[in-house]
Amino acid sequence: MAEHVEPGQELLGIGHVSERTGVAKSALHYYEEIGLICSTRTSGNQRRYPRHMLRRISLITVGSKLGIPLADIRHALEPVPMDKIPSEKDWQRASNEWKRVLERRRRAIEELEDRLMGCIGCGCLSMQACLLLNPEDALAQEGAGARRLETGEAEGDI
Ligand code: FES
């Protein structure tokens, strides 16, 4: 006799999840490894994902397409529980966190744009003065000397 499962509590195999979300199985493994998603295991050690994980994976995909680092995505999804079906309140909290993440990203891009415009007009490529090449003189904090050459970040790597 089939076990009764509450709506939304169904467990999905990785192939099904991959097909529904368009995310490769290897990426799902990785997301799980870094704590972005979670699964349970069958007695045969096969992954099973709760249906509500589909929405979470879709948001991860959207965030990745926007260029948001996975660490920021994980932070934004912290209000959303993984061990139970998230409530609308949980999603609302996540939505607020997403807005903050996107706002920080927007400000960072605007700052970068301002610096780039300045550098296009300047062209000095100074490791001391250029805020784009060496923001907040970060290379000096690594120690004296030619830091770029020592770390293997030659001009061609930029
Ligand atoms: S190139 Fe001169 S400040 Fe960036």
Side-chain angles (χ1 to χ4, degrees), residues 26-116:
S26 57
L28 293 172
H29 289 180
Y30 181 64
Y31 291 166
E32 194 170 337
E33 199 179 299
I34 63 172
L36 269 170
I37 61 174
C38 72
S39 70
T40 55
R41 300 294 178 110
T42 65
S43 55
N45 203 31
Q46 292 179 320
R47 288 177 166 86
R48 292 290 182 264
Y49 297 91
R51 180 171 288 282
H52 61 82
M53 208 55 68
L54 294 174
R55 189 169 174 181
R56 189 178 181 94
I57 294 166
S58 298
L59 280 173
I60 295 167
T61 303
V62 170
S64 294
K65 285 186 176 165
L66 289 172
I68 299 172
L70 291 178
D72 289 349
I73 293 174
R74 186 174 48 216
H75 180 73
L77 288 174
E78 270 173 12
V80 182
M82 289 197 274
D83 59 347
K84 63 179 183 176
I85 298 175
S87 66
E88 279 314 307
K89 215 173 183 173
D90 294 327
W91 287 116
Q92 187 55 52
R93 278 195 295 269
S95 168
N96 294 338
E97 194 52 44
W98 273 99
K99 281 182 193 158
R100 282 190 282 274
V101 166
L102 290 171
E103 178 61 23
R104 276 196 302 272
R105 190 140 187 93
R106 191 182 61 73
R107 278 198 306 266
I109 289 171
E110 282 175 0
E111 231 174 78
L112 205 59
E113 183 184 1
D114 287 346
R115 289 178 182 184
L116 178 63

Side-chain angles (χ1 to χ4, degrees), residues 119 122-125 130:
C119 288
C122 173
C124 72
L125 301 175
C130 183

